[in-house]
Amino acid sequence: MDQVEKMATFSPMNLLVVDDESNIRKTMKMFFDLQHHKVTTVSTPKDALLEAGLQIFDLAFVDIRLGLESGLDLVSSLLARSPWLKIVVITAFASVDTAVEAMKRGAVDYLPKPFMPDQLKLVLERVAAIRLLEQRINLLQDDLDRNDPDISLNSTYPPMQRVIELARQVSTSDAVVMLLGSSGSGKTMLAKLIHRWSHRSDKPFGVISCPSLSQELLESELFGHVKGAFTGALRENPGRVASCEGGTLFLDEIGELPLSIQSKLLRFIQEREYERVGDQRTRKANVRIIAATNADLKSAVASGTFREDLYYRLDVIQITLPSLSERCGDIAEIAANMLAFFNAENHKAIQGFSPGVLKIFRDYGWPGNIRELRNVVERAVILCTTSLIGEELLPDSMASAVQPQIRIGDRIKLEKIEELHIRRVLASTSSVHEAAEVLEIDKATLWRKRKQFGI
């Protein structure tokens, strides 16, 4: 079985059949159901446009004669609403002229009646091939547009190894995933990997940063809006939920989501239903939700700023990413990956880091986690004029922040000893829960201490 056939077999499409003959609709639906595709059948252009407004279709079969109306006009209307849609024109009155006109209107294929099942199967394979090429182009474009280097998943730190294994396991399901961890620890990258490992990998992956938008714009970005829904809404916006149909939507810093939108998100997670801003029509979408936060959501629930029912709905599977300072044994490999990325981006051939730089990397606390390491490496690559990155290319704040080995009884603040002890306990235990038990404090207190010390 070649790649196109695999795609046709394992990636069911959402199909729309528009024909005014009931027998044709029933026959085509029966055939497509056997091929495990989702099928919607309608008899009029009005119903076709209504369905196209409620769900995302991959392929539409449109009869040229629909009673007194023209299927060719419907082709233009469908494509104006859904530019990605592939349309196959079907007719019992086949001619070269109608075929040419259908292609001019945007149809990808032409099927004369009567047609056999093998002809329908061939059309599906052709469309699957087109979709495969488009996905390859999109992946190539993603590589060209990529602004960040890949983060190494190889780790010598057992808790990080368990994080990766758990992420691989949950990627095969459609369950909601909650990613926890301090800012810059790689939650967005892990969300992308879960999507890449999932059966949704050939569908879109979208990201919304909840704190970056006002309440009005955030709801519009999430669910979309109709033209004129609010001041400045000059055109219709389908929203990220619709644009990620079949794929994954990552909600970063979910703790900053306004209460008024939390109820709507809860409904969407439970019912897969939503309304665009300014529109009363209820829509459905098949989108997996991955959320992330560096906040203590339990405290937010207790204070009334986060809905308890949404918290438990989001907390189906929880994955906590360790901070970079806890993964000190992984820093050299992560930095090497970043060096290779920024070498290529800046057309340089820097071979590595000096021993002194690697020691500072191991000893530094990395309050900004992987994001801070990225910025440090990028800055060093830009400034470097030799084959190795030396200590002189690091920010002054890094060298001053790296302290010599601290011993009990040294003339230092008690707070510094507390920070060092917490860091070492976290590095030697397999989970935050175990670390809290060793320290004989509750997890909420440990969370506050980690935030205080930037761990």
Side-chain angles (χ1 to χ4, degrees), residues 263-273 309-310 313:
S263 60
K264 297 178 181 180
L265 176 61
L266 175 63
R267 178 193 172 206
F268 175 71
I269 292 175
Q270 293 182 157
E271 308 294 337
R272 301 297 184 189
E273 293 182 346
D309 48 4
L310 178 58
R313 196 64 187 84

Side-chain angles (χ1 to χ4, degrees), residues 294-308:
N294 63 359
D296 184 353
L297 289 187
K298 284 189 175 180
S299 296
V301 169
S303 66
T305 59
F306 201 86
R307 292 179 62 108
E308 184 176 25

Side-chain angles (χ1 to χ4, degrees), residues 4-5 8 13 118 120-130:
V4 169
E5 289 177 324
M13 289 186 282
D118 285 346
L120 285 176
K121 184 178 180 182
L122 182 60
V123 168
L124 290 178
E125 291 175 354
R126 286 173 181 168
V127 172
I130 294 172

Side-chain angles (χ1 to χ4, degrees), residues 64 72 89 95-107 110:
I64 284 184
L72 290 177
V89 170
S95 71
V96 173
D97 290 342
T98 53
V100 170
E101 182 61 24
M103 298 305 175
K104 285 182 178 179
R105 301 279 184 111
Y110 186 86

Side-chain angles (χ1 to χ4, degrees), residues 6-27:
K6 285 181 181 179
M7 186 167 186
T9 302
F10 297 115
S11 296
M13 289 186 282
N14 195 12
L15 309 180
L16 174 65
V17 175
V18 189
D19 198 302
D20 57 354
E21 296 182 48
S22 60
N23 287 338
I24 295 291
R25 296 197 302 271
K26 290 177 182 178
T27 301

Side-chain angles (χ1 to χ4, degrees), residues 269-438:
I269 292 175
Q270 293 182 157
E271 308 294 337
R272 301 297 184 189
E273 293 182 346
Y274 69 101
E275 287 86 31
R276 293 177 180 173
V277 178
D279 190 6
Q280 299 301 314
R281 182 190 304 170
T282 297
R283 302 170 188 270
K284 283 185 171 288
N286 173 24
V287 176
R288 182 186 196 174
I289 297 295
I290 300 179
T293 184
N294 63 359
D296 184 353
L297 289 187
K298 284 189 175 180
S299 296
V301 169
S303 66
T305 59
F306 201 86
R307 292 179 62 108
E308 184 176 25
D309 48 4
L310 178 58
Y311 170 75
Y312 286 114
R313 196 64 187 84
L314 289 170
D315 200 35
V316 177
I317 298 174
Q318 186 182 111
I319 302 178
T320 302
L321 278 78
S323 64
L324 184 59
S325 60
E326 295 175 75
R327 302 173 56 193
C328 57
D330 301 334
I331 294 176
E333 185 173 354
I334 296 173
N337 287 345
M338 292 179 173
L339 175 59
F341 177 85
F342 290 118
N343 264 340
E345 191 172 76
N346 293 277
H347 309 289
K348 292 193 174 185
I350 303 168
Q351 296 177 10
F353 305 92
S354 71
V357 167
L358 291 176
K359 184 178 187 307
I360 290 176
F361 280 180
R362 287 192 300 270
D363 296 341
Y364 182 60
W366 298 109
N369 287 294
I370 292 173
R371 187 179 296 120
E372 183 181 8
L373 176 60
R374 178 200 187 280
N375 294 339
V376 167
V377 175
E378 181 179 18
R379 174 183 185 273
V381 169
I382 293 171
L383 299 177
C384 186
T385 58
T386 61
S387 61
L388 288 179
I389 292 175
E391 297 172 48
E392 71 281 358
L393 297 178
L394 301 182
D396 294 337
S397 57
M398 283 193 67
S400 61
V402 177
Q403 301 292 331
Q405 186 70 23
I406 296 176
R407 297 173 300 175
I408 300 298
D410 285 349
R411 298 173 64 87
I412 57 174
K413 293 181 180 179
L414 182 62
E415 182 182 74
K416 191 62 185 178
I417 293 178
E418 181 184 27
E419 176 187 350
L420 179 62
H421 182 57
I422 290 175
R423 286 183 181 276
R424 289 179 175 174
V425 169
L426 284 167
S428 64
T429 51
S430 60
S431 66
V432 173
H433 178 74
E434 182 183 351
E437 288 184 341
V438 171

